[in-house]
Amino acid sequence: MTARLADIAAQAGVSEATVSRVLNGKPGVSAATRQSVLAALDLLGYERPVRLRRRSAGLVGLITPELENPIFPAFAQIIGQALTRQGYTPVLATQTPGGSTEDELVEMLVERGVAGIIFVSGLHADSTADMERYDRLHGQGVPFVLINGFSDKIKAPFVSPDDRGAMRLAVTHLASLGHERIGLAVGPKRFVPVQRKIEGFLRSMDLVLGIPAREAEDRIQHSLFTLEGGQAAASGLIEAGCTAVVCASDMMALGAIRAARQHGLSVPGDVSVVGFDDSPLIAFTDPPLTTIRQPVTAMGQAAVRALLEEVGGTPAPHSEFVFLPELVVRGSTASGPQAGAAVPVQQSAWRRTRDAQNPTGG
């Protein structure tokens, strides 16, 4: 036991006597210190003593569209931790292609008596979806909060990043580096965050570079929120002569980097790329990705607070809580080409790649 106490104390940064008091349920330890000792137990792989296992205050469902995009596990971790600290047990329910739909997952969670549900990038973000499903959930007496995507047809708290502001940060950064031919790679237009990013991009191109919306619209490519989708969208923008590409997700940005290399171009030497999210590990890509950091921690904690207020009978305002993003500059953006040189450089590099792939022409 002595060795274990020493290990736990070192991990938690407290004395062995403090660890002993926590493990034996003795008073005189602050909540923060107690939490540090319990976290050390978990990290070192020790089981918590039975006396320290708290009875769950209830189940809370968390519905995400997928887990392949690292931003969704990031949300799940923050929300799960915040719920656990409040005594609730998070239940993660994820949609999969050909698997359960959002409605089926909701039905499953309601049948299990969840205290509430948090939706991340669900059907509420799809402007073409039927929003009456959320009215029905209200009718069943289940509180819920929605992250990423706003609809005035749903009476519930919303938590969102400032998508328009994010585009202003990206365009301003690229313009400061000398880029004028900036393109935008986004997902399907029916999604509210996409619509807002487009609005922010067009307005920023006008305000920052003096490029009117009708001209900037030609520099927008829609695809899927995947690496392959980003590659396809960026290919079209690069072939149109763009020297910089702003992407709606980090996964799309990785695809844009791949597209540039397939066209015989370097990042950031020939093409600058900006992502969105600041997903875990994205700082360690090649090159490290410049991106717009979505404030996941603040958003996740706000969603939990709003939900628990609803659960406690003091509803949070049925409006949208908007969180400011942050530009994180890394190695995927650099100075743009000299004025007038962008298109020839892009075209000649593209032609070299094309000719190498088709030595006989055609």
Side-chain angles (χ1 to χ4, degrees), residues 202-253:
L202 295 177
R203 180 168 177 77
S204 298
M205 291 291 282
D206 188 6
L207 291 177
V208 177
L209 292 171
I211 298 173
R214 63 180 180 277
E215 181 179 340
E217 283 176 349
D218 293 335
R219 303 182 188 179
I220 299 173
Q221 288 279 341
H222 294 274
S223 190
L224 299 177
F225 287 105
T226 62
L227 190 149
E228 292 79 12
Q231 181 178 350
S235 289
L237 294 171
I238 289 170
E239 290 169 11
C242 289
T243 65
V245 179
V246 181
C247 299
S249 75
D250 290 338
M251 295 296 287
M252 295 187 80

Side-chain angles (χ1 to χ4, degrees), residues 129-148:
D130 180 5
M131 300 303 167
E132 289 185 4
R133 55 176 40 89
Y134 300 104
D135 289 335
R136 293 192 291 271
L137 188 56
H138 263 309
Q140 293 173 296
V142 180
F144 58 90
V145 174
L146 307 116
I147 297 177
N148 277 341

Side-chain angles (χ1 to χ4, degrees), residues 2-358:
T2 303
R4 287 183 59 183
L5 282 178
D7 293 341
I8 297 167
Q11 179 68 39
V14 299
S15 69
E16 293 183 32
T18 298
V19 173
S20 180
R21 284 197 294 272
V22 171
L23 296 182
N24 290 292
K26 298 292 181 64
V29 180
S30 70
T33 299
R34 181 181 184 278
Q35 188 67 35
S36 296
V37 172
L38 294 180
L41 276 173
D42 297 339
L43 288 170
L44 294 172
Y46 294 131
E47 290 189 29
R48 295 188 185 184
V50 174
R51 69 174 68 88
L52 298 181
R53 298 176 190 170
R54 292 185 299 181
R55 190 166 183 266
S56 174
L59 304 176
V60 171
L62 172 61
I63 298 181
T64 65
E66 55 156 312
L67 291 178
E68 290 186 359
N69 187 329
I71 197 62
F72 295 122
F75 267 115
Q77 182 174 11
I78 293 297
I79 292 170
Q81 289 173 342
L83 288 169
T84 301
R85 283 195 294 269
Q86 297 301 320
Y88 287 84
T89 300
V91 180
L92 179 61
T94 304
Q95 301 174 60
T96 55
S100 299
T101 65
E102 179 179 306
D103 292 335
E104 290 169 341
L105 293 175
V106 168
E107 183 178 354
M108 177 270 292
L109 291 170
V110 172
E111 287 176 351
R112 282 159 177 75
V114 293
I117 300 175
I118 297 176
F119 296 84
V120 181
S121 300
L123 289 171
H124 64 276
D126 187 339
S127 62
T128 65
D130 180 5
M131 300 303 167
E132 289 185 4
R133 55 176 40 89
Y134 300 104
D135 289 335
R136 293 192 291 271
L137 188 56
H138 263 309
Q140 293 173 296
V142 180
F144 58 90
V145 174
L146 307 116
I147 297 177
N148 277 341
F150 175 76
S151 171
D152 57 10
K153 298 177 183 177
I154 305 173
K155 303 305 177 185
F158 286 84
V159 177
S160 306
D162 184 351
D163 290 297
R164 300 182 184 92
M167 294 300 99
R168 183 172 63 252
L169 289 173
V171 170
T172 301
H173 169 62
L174 291 169
S176 72
L177 293 173
H179 293 278
E180 295 183 358
R181 298 194 61 82
I182 302 171
L184 176 63
V186 287
K189 194 172 183 178
R190 68 180 188 273
F191 293 114
V192 172
V194 170
Q195 296 168 5
R196 289 177 167 183
K197 285 183 174 69
I198 291 173
E199 291 171 9
F201 175 76
L202 295 177
R203 180 168 177 77
S204 298
M205 291 291 282
D206 188 6
L207 291 177
V208 177
L209 292 171
I211 298 173
R214 63 180 180 277
E215 181 179 340
E217 283 176 349
D218 293 335
R219 303 182 188 179
I220 299 173
Q221 288 279 341
H222 294 274
S223 190
L224 299 177
F225 287 105
T226 62
L227 190 149
E228 292 79 12
Q231 181 178 350
S235 289
L237 294 171
I238 289 170
E239 290 169 11
C242 289
T243 65
V245 179
V246 181
C247 299
S249 75
D250 290 338
M251 295 296 287
M252 295 187 80
L254 295 181
I257 293 173
R258 178 191 286 181
R261 289 170 176 166
Q262 285 190 336
H263 283 76
L265 303 172
S266 68
V267 176
D270 299 309
V271 178
S272 286
V273 176
V274 178
F276 181 87
D277 283 335
D278 196 27
S279 308
L281 302 180
I282 210 68
F284 305 100
T285 58
D286 180 24
L289 186 65
T290 293
T291 189
I292 304 296
R293 177 178 293 158
Q294 189 171 180
V296 172
T297 299
M299 290 171 61
Q301 292 174 347
V304 170
R305 285 195 300 271
L307 181 70
L308 296 188
E309 287 178 3
E310 298 266 332
V311 171
T314 55
H318 289 176
S319 58
E320 185 177 24
F321 301 89
V322 180
F323 289 77
L324 296 177
E326 176 187 356
L327 174 68
V328 182
V329 179
R330 298 193 181 103
S332 65
T333 52
S335 298
Q338 296 297 317
V343 174
V345 168
Q346 301 288 356
Q347 288 180 341
S348 62
W350 176 68
R351 286 189 184 119
R352 287 198 301 273
T353 304
R354 181 197 62 185
D355 293 342
Q357 294 172 342
N358 301 280

